[in-house]
Amino acid sequence: YTLRQPVEADLTVFDLLGRRVRHLDLGERVAGTHRTTLTTGGLPSGTYLLRLSAGGATTTHPLTIRR
């Protein structure tokens, strides 16, 4: 993900019932591009929601895991 300015960021994966299944990244981040890795072990195949909250804005993207 890319941030335009330094902000507190929270990157989380939810299942379709709204339950948090993975917390990927949390904390103050500098401006620029950031990378994180999602370990899918223990998660069944299916669709999840990847949510980034940063600087008062929230973006959600679908994520599909296939086995």
Side-chain angles (χ1 to χ4, degrees), residues 48-67:
Y48 296 85
L49 300 173
L50 180 63
R51 184 180 76 186
L52 174 64
S53 297
T58 300
T59 304
T60 304
H61 294 282
L63 170 70
T64 302
I65 297 175
R66 296 182 188 177
R67 304 253 180 237

Side-chain angles (χ1 to χ4, degrees), residues 13-14 19 21-23 27 32 35 39 43 51-52 54 61 64:
V13 178
F14 294 89
R19 297 176 296 204
V21 296
R22 293 285 192 279
H23 205 145
R35 299 183 110 196
T39 304
L43 292 178
R51 184 180 76 186
L52 174 64
H61 294 282
T64 302

Side-chain angles (χ1 to χ4, degrees), residues 24-47:
L24 302 176
D25 207 2
L26 174 66
E28 186 71 26
R29 299 291 175 253
V30 297
T33 301
H34 301 268
R35 299 183 110 196
T36 190
T37 301
L38 169 62
T39 304
T40 61
L43 292 178
S45 295
T47 301

